[in-house]
Amino acid sequence: MQERRAFPRLPMRLKVLLRLSSGQSVALRSVDISKQGMQLISEYDADTGDHFQLAFSLPRIGEEGFENIQVQGQVMHVVYDGAAGAYRIGFRFETFKGDGRERMDAYLDQYLSMHLRRGHPG
């Protein structure tokens, strides 16, 4: 059975801060991102259904610097990856702070367009 997604996953390694309910932040890294969510690599386990706030930065379009994105979302799945010695966490975006959704979507559209012009699907 072929997996069908509304938006393509784009390989992208980002430093991601996950805020725990205690207020503490844990640094993770992304494997890929789409307009719906991202896959994270973590030494920490999570439970499906958990809600967290994530923060990450994307390059500004046509300018120097970075856009800081903050989003609340839900853990959709967790799989232990023995080769990586870490957990792969599927995180679905739900509520963005400010205009984070629009800024992220614009960046991902530009990123995908650049890669398609070069003949790479993502």
Side-chain angles (χ1 to χ4, degrees), residues 7-23:
F7 300 100
R9 288 183 181 189
L10 305 172
M12 194 172 299
R13 289 187 180 259
L14 301 169
K15 179 180 178 183
V16 178
L17 293 178
L18 179 142
R19 176 160 293 163
L20 302 172
S21 57
S22 67

Side-chain angles (χ1 to χ4, degrees), residues 51-115:
H51 284 81
F52 292 108
Q53 180 179 337
L54 297 183
F56 56 94
S57 296
L58 295 171
R60 286 194 177 137
I61 298 171
E63 300 177 35
E64 289 188 28
F66 292 87
E67 298 283 359
N68 295 316
I69 308 294
Q70 293 181 30
V71 59
Q72 182 79 24
Q74 182 177 16
V75 174
M76 300 307 292
H77 66 270
V78 180
V79 176
Y80 185 75
D81 182 339
Y87 295 92
R88 289 184 176 266
I89 299 172
F91 186 85
R92 182 181 69 200
F93 300 141
E94 292 178 342
T95 307
F96 286 79
K97 183 175 181 181
D99 63 350
R101 158 72 68 195
E102 292 80 14
R103 290 182 288 133
M104 183 192 74
D105 285 355
Y107 177 80
L108 294 177
D109 287 343
Q110 182 185 48
Y111 182 91
L112 182 60
S113 175
M114 262 183 4
H115 280 69

